[in-house]
CSV table of all heavy atoms in Angstrom, one decimal:
chain,number,residue,atom,x,y,z
A,1,MET,N,3.0,3.2,0.4
A,1,MET,CA,2.3,2.8,1.5
A,1,MET,C,2.7,3.7,2.7
A,1,MET,O,1.8,4.2,3.4
A,1,MET,CB,2.7,1.4,1.9
A,1,MET,CG,1.9,0.8,3.0
A,1,MET,SD,2.2,-1.0,3.2
A,1,MET,CE,3.7,-1.0,4.2
A,2,MET,N,4.0,4.0,2.8
A,2,MET,CA,4.4,4.9,3.9
A,2,MET,C,3.9,6.3,3.7
A,2,MET,O,3.6,7.0,4.7
A,2,MET,CB,5.9,4.8,4.0
A,2,MET,CG,6.4,3.4,4.4
A,2,MET,SD,8.2,3.2,4.3
A,2,MET,CE,8.8,4.5,5.3
A,3,LEU,N,4.0,6.8,2.5
A,3,LEU,CA,3.5,8.2,2.2
A,3,LEU,C,2.0,8.3,2.5
A,3,LEU,O,1.6,9.3,3.1
A,3,LEU,CB,3.8,8.5,0.8
A,3,LEU,CG,5.2,8.6,0.4
A,3,LEU,CD1,5.4,8.8,-1.1
A,3,LEU,CD2,5.9,9.7,1.1
A,4,LEU,N,1.2,7.3,2.2
A,4,LEU,CA,-0.2,7.4,2.5
A,4,LEU,C,-0.4,7.3,4.0
A,4,LEU,O,-1.3,8.0,4.5
A,4,LEU,CB,-0.9,6.2,1.8
A,4,LEU,CG,-1.0,6.3,0.3
A,4,LEU,CD1,-1.5,5.0,-0.3
A,4,LEU,CD2,-2.0,7.4,-0.1
A,5,GLY,N,0.4,6.5,4.7
A,5,GLY,CA,0.3,6.4,6.2
A,5,GLY,C,0.6,7.7,6.8
A,5,GLY,O,0.2,8.0,7.9
A,6,GLN,N,1.4,8.6,6.2
A,6,GLN,CA,1.8,9.9,6.7
A,6,GLN,C,0.8,10.9,6.4
A,6,GLN,O,0.9,12.1,6.7
A,6,GLN,CB,3.2,10.3,6.2
A,6,GLN,CG,4.3,9.4,6.6
A,6,GLN,CD,5.6,9.7,5.9
A,6,GLN,OE1,5.7,10.6,5.0
A,6,GLN,NE2,6.6,9.0,6.2
A,7,GLY,N,-0.3,10.5,5.6
A,7,GLY,CA,-1.4,11.5,5.3
A,7,GLY,C,-1.3,12.1,3.9
A,7,GLY,O,-2.1,13.0,3.6
A,8,MET,N,-0.4,11.7,3.1
A,8,MET,CA,-0.3,12.3,1.8
A,8,MET,C,-1.5,11.8,0.9
A,8,MET,O,-1.9,10.7,1.0
A,8,MET,CB,1.0,11.9,1.1
A,8,MET,CG,1.3,12.6,-0.3
A,8,MET,SD,2.8,12.1,-1.0
A,8,MET,CE,3.9,13.2,-0.1
A,9,ALA,N,-2.0,12.7,0.1
A,9,ALA,CA,-3.1,12.4,-0.8
A,9,ALA,C,-2.6,11.4,-1.8
A,9,ALA,O,-1.5,11.4,-2.3
A,9,ALA,CB,-3.6,13.6,-1.4
A,10,ALA,N,-3.6,10.5,-2.2
A,10,ALA,CA,-3.2,9.4,-3.2
A,10,ALA,C,-2.7,10.0,-4.5
A,10,ALA,O,-1.8,9.5,-5.1
A,10,ALA,CB,-4.4,8.5,-3.4
A,11,ILE,N,-3.3,11.1,-5.0
A,11,ILE,CA,-2.9,11.7,-6.3
A,11,ILE,C,-1.5,12.2,-6.2
A,11,ILE,O,-0.7,12.1,-7.1
A,11,ILE,CB,-3.9,12.7,-6.8
A,11,ILE,CG1,-3.6,13.1,-8.2
A,11,ILE,CG2,-3.9,13.9,-5.9
A,11,ILE,CD1,-3.8,12.0,-9.2
A,12,ASP,N,-1.1,12.7,-5.0
A,12,ASP,CA,0.3,13.2,-4.8
A,12,ASP,C,1.3,12.0,-4.8
A,12,ASP,O,2.4,12.1,-5.3
A,12,ASP,CB,0.4,14.0,-3.5
A,12,ASP,CG,-0.4,15.3,-3.6
A,12,ASP,OD1,-0.6,15.8,-4.7
A,12,ASP,OD2,-0.9,15.8,-2.5
A,13,VAL,N,0.9,10.9,-4.2
A,13,VAL,CA,1.7,9.7,-4.1
A,13,VAL,C,1.9,9.2,-5.6
A,13,VAL,O,3.0,8.8,-5.9
A,13,VAL,CB,1.1,8.6,-3.2
A,13,VAL,CG1,1.9,7.3,-3.3
A,13,VAL,CG2,1.0,9.1,-1.8
A,14,VAL,N,0.9,9.2,-6.4
A,14,VAL,CA,0.9,8.8,-7.8
A,14,VAL,C,2.0,9.6,-8.5
A,14,VAL,O,2.9,9.0,-9.2
A,14,VAL,CB,-0.4,8.9,-8.5
A,14,VAL,CG1,-0.3,8.8,-10.0
A,14,VAL,CG2,-1.4,7.9,-7.9
A,15,GLN,N,2.0,10.9,-8.3
A,15,GLN,CA,3.0,11.7,-9.0
A,15,GLN,C,4.4,11.5,-8.5
A,15,GLN,O,5.3,11.5,-9.2
A,15,GLN,CB,2.5,13.2,-8.9
A,15,GLN,CG,1.2,13.5,-9.7
A,15,GLN,CD,0.7,14.8,-9.4
A,15,GLN,OE1,1.2,15.6,-8.6
A,15,GLN,NE2,-0.3,15.2,-10.2
A,16,GLN,N,4.5,11.4,-7.2
A,16,GLN,CA,5.8,11.4,-6.6
A,16,GLN,C,6.5,10.0,-6.8
A,16,GLN,O,7.7,10.0,-7.1
A,16,GLN,CB,5.8,11.6,-5.1
A,16,GLN,CG,7.1,11.6,-4.4
A,16,GLN,CD,7.1,12.1,-3.0
A,16,GLN,OE1,6.1,12.7,-2.5
A,16,GLN,NE2,8.2,11.9,-2.3
A,17,VAL,N,5.8,8.9,-6.8
A,17,VAL,CA,6.3,7.6,-6.9
A,17,VAL,C,6.5,7.2,-8.4
A,17,VAL,O,7.3,6.3,-8.7
A,17,VAL,CB,5.5,6.6,-6.1
A,17,VAL,CG1,6.0,5.2,-6.3
A,17,VAL,CG2,5.5,7.0,-4.7
A,18,GLY,N,5.7,7.8,-9.3
A,18,GLY,CA,5.8,7.5,-10.7
A,18,GLY,C,4.8,6.5,-11.3
A,18,GLY,O,5.1,6.0,-12.3
A,19,TYR,N,3.7,6.3,-10.6
A,19,TYR,CA,2.6,5.5,-11.2
A,19,TYR,C,2.0,6.3,-12.4
A,19,TYR,O,2.0,7.5,-12.4
A,19,TYR,CB,1.6,5.1,-10.2
A,19,TYR,CG,1.9,4.0,-9.4
A,19,TYR,CD1,2.5,4.1,-8.1
A,19,TYR,CD2,1.6,2.7,-9.8
A,19,TYR,CE1,2.9,3.0,-7.4
A,19,TYR,CE2,2.0,1.6,-9.0
A,19,TYR,CZ,2.6,1.8,-7.8
A,19,TYR,OH,2.9,0.7,-7.0
A,20,HIS,N,1.4,5.5,-13.3
A,20,HIS,CA,0.8,6.1,-14.5
A,20,HIS,C,-0.5,6.9,-14.1
A,20,HIS,O,-0.7,8.0,-14.6
A,20,HIS,CB,0.5,5.1,-15.5
A,20,HIS,CG,-0.2,5.6,-16.8
A,20,HIS,ND1,0.5,6.4,-17.7
A,20,HIS,CD2,-1.4,5.5,-17.2
A,20,HIS,CE1,-0.3,6.7,-18.6
A,20,HIS,NE2,-1.5,6.2,-18.4
A,21,ASP,N,-1.3,6.3,-13.2
A,21,ASP,CA,-2.5,7.0,-12.8
A,21,ASP,C,-2.9,6.4,-11.4
A,21,ASP,O,-2.3,5.4,-10.9
A,21,ASP,CB,-3.6,6.8,-13.8
A,21,ASP,CG,-3.9,5.4,-14.1
A,21,ASP,OD1,-3.5,4.4,-13.4
A,21,ASP,OD2,-4.6,5.1,-15.1
A,22,GLN,N,-4.0,7.0,-10.8
A,22,GLN,CA,-4.4,6.6,-9.5
A,22,GLN,C,-5.0,5.2,-9.4
A,22,GLN,O,-4.7,4.4,-8.5
A,22,GLN,CB,-5.4,7.6,-9.0
A,22,GLN,CG,-5.6,7.5,-7.5
A,22,GLN,CD,-6.4,8.7,-6.9
A,22,GLN,OE1,-6.5,9.7,-7.5
A,22,GLN,NE2,-6.9,8.5,-5.7
A,23,PRO,N,-5.7,4.7,-10.4
A,23,PRO,CA,-6.2,3.3,-10.4
A,23,PRO,C,-5.1,2.3,-10.4
A,23,PRO,O,-5.2,1.3,-9.8
A,23,PRO,CB,-7.1,3.2,-11.7
A,23,PRO,CG,-7.6,4.6,-11.9
A,23,PRO,CD,-6.4,5.5,-11.5
A,24,HIS,N,-4.0,2.6,-11.1
A,24,HIS,CA,-2.8,1.7,-11.1
A,24,HIS,C,-2.3,1.6,-9.7
A,24,HIS,O,-1.9,0.5,-9.2
A,24,HIS,CB,-1.8,2.3,-12.1
A,24,HIS,CG,-0.6,1.4,-12.3
A,24,HIS,ND1,0.5,1.8,-12.9
A,24,HIS,CD2,-0.4,0.1,-11.9
A,24,HIS,CE1,1.4,0.8,-13.0
A,24,HIS,NE2,0.9,-0.3,-12.3
A,25,LEU,N,-2.1,2.7,-9.0
A,25,LEU,CA,-1.7,2.7,-7.6
A,25,LEU,C,-2.6,1.9,-6.7
A,25,LEU,O,-2.2,1.1,-5.9
A,25,LEU,CB,-1.5,4.1,-7.0
A,25,LEU,CG,-1.3,4.2,-5.5
A,25,LEU,CD1,0.1,3.7,-5.2
A,25,LEU,CD2,-1.4,5.7,-5.1
A,26,ALA,N,-3.9,2.1,-6.9
A,26,ALA,CA,-4.9,1.4,-6.1
A,26,ALA,C,-4.9,-0.1,-6.3
A,26,ALA,O,-4.9,-0.8,-5.3
A,26,ALA,CB,-6.3,1.9,-6.5
A,27,ARG,N,-4.7,-0.5,-7.5
A,27,ARG,CA,-4.6,-2.0,-7.8
A,27,ARG,C,-3.4,-2.6,-7.1
A,27,ARG,O,-3.4,-3.6,-6.5
A,27,ARG,CB,-4.6,-2.3,-9.3
A,27,ARG,CG,-5.9,-2.2,-9.9
A,27,ARG,CD,-5.9,-2.7,-11.4
A,27,ARG,NE,-5.0,-2.0,-12.2
A,27,ARG,CZ,-5.3,-0.8,-12.9
A,27,ARG,NH1,-6.4,-0.3,-12.8
A,27,ARG,NH2,-4.3,-0.3,-13.6
A,28,SER,N,-2.3,-1.8,-7.2
A,28,SER,CA,-1.0,-2.3,-6.6
A,28,SER,C,-1.1,-2.4,-5.1
A,28,SER,O,-0.7,-3.4,-4.5
A,28,SER,CB,0.1,-1.4,-7.0
A,28,SER,OG,0.4,-1.5,-8.4
A,29,LEU,N,-1.7,-1.4,-4.5
A,29,LEU,CA,-1.9,-1.4,-3.0
A,29,LEU,C,-2.7,-2.6,-2.6
A,29,LEU,O,-2.4,-3.3,-1.6
A,29,LEU,CB,-2.5,-0.1,-2.6
A,29,LEU,CG,-1.6,1.1,-2.6
A,29,LEU,CD1,-2.4,2.4,-2.3
A,29,LEU,CD2,-0.5,1.0,-1.6
A,30,THR,N,-3.8,-2.8,-3.3
A,30,THR,CA,-4.7,-3.8,-2.9
A,30,THR,C,-4.1,-5.2,-3.1
A,30,THR,O,-4.2,-6.1,-2.3
A,30,THR,CB,-6.0,-3.8,-3.7
A,30,THR,OG1,-6.6,-2.5,-3.5
A,30,THR,CG2,-7.0,-4.8,-3.3
A,31,ARG,N,-3.3,-5.3,-4.2
A,31,ARG,CA,-2.7,-6.6,-4.4
A,31,ARG,C,-1.6,-6.9,-3.4
A,31,ARG,O,-1.4,-8.0,-3.0
A,31,ARG,CB,-2.1,-6.6,-5.8
A,31,ARG,CG,-1.4,-7.8,-6.2
A,31,ARG,CD,-0.9,-7.8,-7.6
A,31,ARG,NE,-0.2,-9.1,-7.9
A,31,ARG,CZ,0.5,-9.3,-9.0
A,31,ARG,NH1,0.6,-8.3,-9.9
A,31,ARG,NH2,1.0,-10.4,-9.2
A,32,PHE,N,-0.7,-5.9,-3.1
A,32,PHE,CA,0.4,-6.2,-2.3
A,32,PHE,C,0.2,-6.0,-0.8
A,32,PHE,O,0.9,-6.6,0.0
A,32,PHE,CB,1.6,-5.4,-2.8
A,32,PHE,CG,2.1,-5.7,-4.1
A,32,PHE,CD1,2.0,-4.8,-5.2
A,32,PHE,CD2,2.6,-7.0,-4.4
A,32,PHE,CE1,2.4,-5.2,-6.5
A,32,PHE,CE2,3.0,-7.3,-5.7
A,32,PHE,CZ,2.9,-6.4,-6.7
A,33,THR,N,-0.8,-5.2,-0.4
A,33,THR,CA,-1.0,-5.0,1.0
A,33,THR,C,-2.3,-5.4,1.5
A,33,THR,O,-2.6,-5.5,2.7
A,33,THR,CB,-0.8,-3.5,1.4
A,33,THR,OG1,-1.9,-2.7,0.8
A,33,THR,CG2,0.5,-2.9,1.0
A,34,GLY,N,-3.3,-5.6,0.5
A,34,GLY,CA,-4.6,-6.0,0.9
A,34,GLY,C,-5.4,-4.9,1.4
A,34,GLY,O,-6.5,-5.1,2.0
A,35,ARG,N,-5.0,-3.6,1.2
A,35,ARG,CA,-5.7,-2.5,1.7
A,35,ARG,C,-5.8,-1.4,0.6
A,35,ARG,O,-4.9,-1.3,-0.2
A,35,ARG,CB,-4.9,-1.9,2.9
A,35,ARG,CG,-4.8,-3.0,4.0
A,35,ARG,CD,-4.5,-2.5,5.2
A,35,ARG,NE,-4.3,-3.6,6.1
A,35,ARG,CZ,-4.5,-3.5,7.4
A,35,ARG,NH1,-4.7,-2.4,7.9
A,35,ARG,NH2,-4.3,-4.6,8.1
A,36,THR,N,-6.7,-0.6,0.8
A,36,THR,CA,-6.9,0.6,-0.1
A,36,THR,C,-6.1,1.8,0.4
A,36,THR,O,-5.7,1.8,1.5
A,36,THR,CB,-8.4,1.0,-0.3
A,36,THR,OG1,-8.8,1.4,1.0
A,36,THR,CG2,-9.2,-0.2,-0.8
A,37,ALA,N,-6.0,2.8,-0.5
A,37,ALA,CA,-5.3,4.0,-0.1
A,37,ALA,C,-6.0,4.6,1.1
A,37,ALA,O,-5.3,5.1,2.0
A,37,ALA,CB,-5.2,4.9,-1.3
A,38,SER,N,-7.3,4.7,1.1
A,38,SER,CA,-8.0,5.3,2.2
A,38,SER,C,-7.8,4.5,3.5
A,38,SER,O,-7.7,5.1,4.5
A,38,SER,CB,-9.5,5.3,1.8
A,38,SER,OG,-9.8,6.1,0.7
A,39,GLN,N,-7.8,3.2,3.4
A,39,GLN,CA,-7.5,2.4,4.6
A,39,GLN,C,-6.1,2.7,5.2
A,39,GLN,O,-5.9,2.8,6.4
A,39,GLN,CB,-7.7,0.9,4.4
A,39,GLN,CG,-9.1,0.5,4.1
A,39,GLN,CD,-9.2,-0.9,3.6
A,39,GLN,OE1,-8.3,-1.4,3.0
A,39,GLN,NE2,-10.4,-1.5,3.9
A,40,LEU,N,-5.1,2.8,4.3
A,40,LEU,CA,-3.8,3.1,4.8
A,40,LEU,C,-3.7,4.5,5.4
A,40,LEU,O,-3.0,4.7,6.4
A,40,LEU,CB,-2.8,2.9,3.6
A,40,LEU,CG,-2.6,1.5,3.1
A,40,LEU,CD1,-1.8,1.5,1.8
A,40,LEU,CD2,-1.9,0.7,4.2
A,41,ARG,N,-4.4,5.4,4.8
A,41,ARG,CA,-4.3,6.8,5.2
A,41,ARG,C,-5.0,6.9,6.6
A,41,ARG,O,-4.6,7.6,7.5
A,41,ARG,CB,-5.0,7.7,4.2
A,41,ARG,CG,-4.6,9.2,4.4
A,41,ARG,CD,-5.0,10.1,3.2
A,41,ARG,NE,-6.2,9.7,2.5
A,41,ARG,CZ,-6.3,9.2,1.3
A,41,ARG,NH1,-5.2,8.9,0.7
A,41,ARG,NH2,-7.5,8.9,0.8
A,42,GLN,N,-6.1,6.2,6.8
A,42,GLN,CA,-6.8,6.2,8.1
A,42,GLN,C,-6.1,5.5,9.2
A,42,GLN,O,-6.3,5.8,10.4
A,42,GLN,CB,-8.2,5.6,7.9
A,42,GLN,CG,-9.1,6.4,7.0
A,42,GLN,CD,-10.4,5.7,6.7
A,42,GLN,OE1,-10.6,4.5,7.1
A,42,GLN,NE2,-11.3,6.4,6.0
A,43,ALA,N,-5.2,4.6,8.9
A,43,ALA,CA,-4.5,3.8,9.9
A,43,ALA,C,-3.6,4.8,10.7
A,43,ALA,O,-3.4,4.6,11.9
A,43,ALA,CB,-3.6,2.7,9.3
A,44,GLY,N,-3.0,5.8,10.1
A,44,GLY,CA,-2.2,6.8,10.8
A,44,GLY,C,-1.0,6.3,11.5
A,44,GLY,O,-0.6,6.9,12.5
A,45,GLY,N,-0.4,5.2,11.1
A,45,GLY,CA,0.8,4.7,11.7
A,45,GLY,C,0.6,3.9,13.0
A,45,GLY,O,1.5,3.5,13.6
A,46,GLU,N,-0.7,3.7,13.3
A,46,GLU,CA,-1.0,2.9,14.6
A,46,GLU,C,-0.8,1.4,14.4
A,46,GLU,O,-0.5,0.8,15.4
A,46,GLU,CB,-2.4,3.2,15.0
A,46,GLU,CG,-2.7,4.7,15.2
A,46,GLU,CD,-4.2,4.9,15.4
A,46,GLU,OE1,-5.0,4.0,15.3
A,46,GLU,OE2,-4.5,6.1,15.6
A,47,GLU,N,-0.9,0.9,13.2
A,47,GLU,CA,-0.8,-0.5,13.0
A,47,GLU,C,0.5,-0.9,12.2
A,47,GLU,O,0.9,-0.1,11.3
A,47,GLU,CB,-2.0,-0.9,12.2
A,47,GLU,CG,-2.1,-2.4,11.9
A,47,GLU,CD,-3.3,-2.7,11.1
A,47,GLU,OE1,-4.2,-1.9,10.9
A,47,GLU,OE2,-3.4,-3.9,10.7
A,48,MET,N,1.1,-1.9,12.6
A,48,MET,CA,2.3,-2.4,11.9
A,48,MET,C,1.8,-3.1,10.6
A,48,MET,O,1.0,-4.0,10.6
A,48,MET,CB,3.1,-3.4,12.7
A,48,MET,CG,3.8,-2.8,13.9
A,48,MET,SD,5.1,-1.7,13.4
A,48,MET,CE,6.2,-2.8,12.7
A,49,LEU,N,2.3,-2.6,9.5
A,49,LEU,CA,2.0,-3.2,8.2
A,49,LEU,C,3.3,-3.9,7.6
A,49,LEU,O,4.4,-3.4,7.8
A,49,LEU,CB,1.5,-2.2,7.2
A,49,LEU,CG,0.2,-1.5,7.6
A,49,LEU,CD1,-0.1,-0.3,6.7
A,49,LEU,CD2,-0.9,-2.4,7.6
A,50,SER,N,3.0,-5.0,6.9
A,50,SER,CA,4.1,-5.7,6.3
A,50,SER,C,4.0,-5.7,4.8
A,50,SER,O,3.0,-5.7,4.3
A,50,SER,CB,4.1,-7.2,6.8
A,50,SER,OG,5.1,-7.9,6.2
A,51,LEU,N,5.2,-5.6,4.2
A,51,LEU,CA,5.2,-5.7,2.7
A,51,LEU,C,5.4,-7.2,2.3
A,51,LEU,O,5.6,-7.5,1.1
A,51,LEU,CB,6.3,-4.9,2.1
A,51,LEU,CG,6.1,-3.4,2.3
A,51,LEU,CD1,7.3,-2.6,1.8
A,51,LEU,CD2,4.9,-2.9,1.6
A,52,LEU,N,5.4,-8.1,3.2
A,52,LEU,CA,5.6,-9.5,2.9
A,52,LEU,C,4.3,-10.1,2.3
A,52,LEU,O,3.3,-9.8,2.8
A,52,LEU,CB,6.0,-10.3,4.1
A,52,LEU,CG,7.4,-9.9,4.8
A,52,LEU,CD1,7.5,-10.7,6.1
A,52,LEU,CD2,8.5,-10.2,3.8
A,53,TYR,N,4.5,-10.9,1.3
A,53,TYR,CA,3.3,-11.5,0.7
A,53,TYR,C,2.9,-12.7,1.5
A,53,TYR,O,3.7,-13.5,2.0
A,53,TYR,CB,3.7,-11.9,-0.7
A,53,TYR,CG,2.5,-12.5,-1.5
A,53,TYR,CD1,1.4,-11.7,-1.9
A,53,TYR,CD2,2.5,-13.8,-1.9
A,53,TYR,CE1,0.4,-12.2,-2.6
A,53,TYR,CE2,1.5,-14.3,-2.6
A,53,TYR,CZ,0.4,-13.6,-3.0
A,53,TYR,OH,-0.6,-14.1,-3.7
A,54,LYS,N,1.6,-12.9,1.8
A,54,LYS,CA,1.1,-14.0,2.6
A,54,LYS,C,1.7,-14.1,3.9
A,54,LYS,O,2.4,-15.0,4.3
A,54,LYS,CB,1.2,-15.3,1.8
A,54,LYS,CG,0.4,-15.3,0.5
A,54,LYS,CD,0.4,-16.7,-0.1
A,54,LYS,CE,-0.4,-16.8,-1.3
A,54,LYS,NZ,-0.4,-18.1,-1.9
A,55,THR,N,1.5,-13.1,4.7
A,55,THR,CA,2.2,-13.0,6.1
A,55,THR,C,1.7,-14.1,7.0
A,55,THR,O,2.3,-14.3,8.1
A,55,THR,CB,2.0,-11.6,6.7
A,55,THR,OG1,0.6,-11.3,6.8
A,55,THR,CG2,2.7,-10.6,5.9
A,56,GLU,N,0.5,-14.7,6.7
A,56,GLU,CA,0.0,-15.7,7.6
A,56,GLU,C,0.8,-17.1,7.5
A,56,GLU,O,0.6,-17.9,8.4
A,56,GLU,CB,-1.5,-16.0,7.4
A,56,GLU,CG,-1.8,-16.7,6.1
A,56,GLU,CD,-1.9,-15.7,4.9
A,56,GLU,OE1,-1.7,-14.5,5.0
A,56,GLU,OE2,-2.1,-16.2,3.8
A,57,VAL,N,1.6,-17.2,6.5
A,57,VAL,CA,2.4,-18.4,6.4
A,57,VAL,C,3.6,-18.4,7.2
A,57,VAL,O,4.3,-17.4,7.3
A,57,VAL,CB,2.8,-18.6,4.9
A,57,VAL,CG1,3.7,-19.8,4.7
A,57,VAL,CG2,1.6,-18.7,4.0
A,58,ALA,N,3.9,-19.4,7.9
A,58,ALA,CA,5.1,-19.5,8.8
A,58,ALA,C,6.4,-19.5,8.0
A,58,ALA,O,6.4,-20.2,6.9
A,58,ALA,CB,5.1,-20.8,9.7
A,59,VAL,N,7.4,-18.7,8.4
A,59,VAL,CA,8.6,-18.7,7.7
A,59,VAL,C,9.6,-19.7,8.3
A,59,VAL,O,9.8,-19.7,9.5
A,59,VAL,CB,9.2,-17.2,7.7
A,59,VAL,CG1,10.5,-17.2,7.1
A,59,VAL,CG2,8.2,-16.2,7.2
A,60,ARG,N,10.2,-20.5,7.5
A,60,ARG,CA,11.2,-21.4,7.9
A,60,ARG,C,12.6,-20.9,7.8
A,60,ARG,O,12.9,-20.3,6.8
A,60,ARG,CB,11.0,-22.8,7.2
A,60,ARG,CG,9.7,-23.4,7.4
A,60,ARG,CD,9.6,-24.7,6.7
A,60,ARG,NE,8.2,-25.2,6.8
A,60,ARG,CZ,7.8,-26.3,6.3
A,60,ARG,NH1,8.7,-27.0,5.5
A,60,ARG,NH2,6.6,-26.8,6.5
A,61,PRO,N,13.5,-21.2,8.7
A,61,PRO,CA,14.9,-20.7,8.6
A,61,PRO,C,15.6,-21.4,7.5
A,61,PRO,O,15.4,-22.4,7.0
A,61,PRO,CB,15.5,-21.0,10.0
A,61,PRO,CG,14.5,-21.9,10.7
A,61,PRO,CD,13.2,-21.9,9.9
């Protein structure tokens, strides 16, 4: 997610991070962040993204 936000191409992220192929990365990104690689690359670091699942749920101490 961070590499894509820095402008790295998705295929380069696949190779660097160790995914089997680009569709595998795409499914993981959509599942865990709710965004595609293109959406993350276009954000350009302007938006705060969270790796927390279901961020709309209130966290209790």
Side-chain angles (χ1 to χ4, degrees):
M1 185 172 86
M2 293 170 60
L3 294 173
L4 291 167
Q6 294 170 0
M8 185 178 283
I11 191 67
D12 295 331
V13 173
V14 167
Q15 293 173 351
Q16 184 168 347
V17 178
Y19 277 93
H20 180 69
D21 56 14
Q22 194 167 345
H24 186 190
L25 172 67
R27 284 190 301 274
S28 293
L29 287 171
T30 303
R31 180 177 181 192
F32 294 115
T33 68
R35 305 201 182 199
T36 64
S38 297
Q39 290 172 331
L40 291 170
R41 200 169 32 255
Q42 291 172 356
E46 298 170 2
E47 181 181 354
M48 290 292 293
L49 297 173
S50 175
L51 294 175
L52 297 175
Y53 184 66
K54 295 185 179 183
T55 57
E56 70 276 0
V57 177
V59 177
R60 297 182 185 177

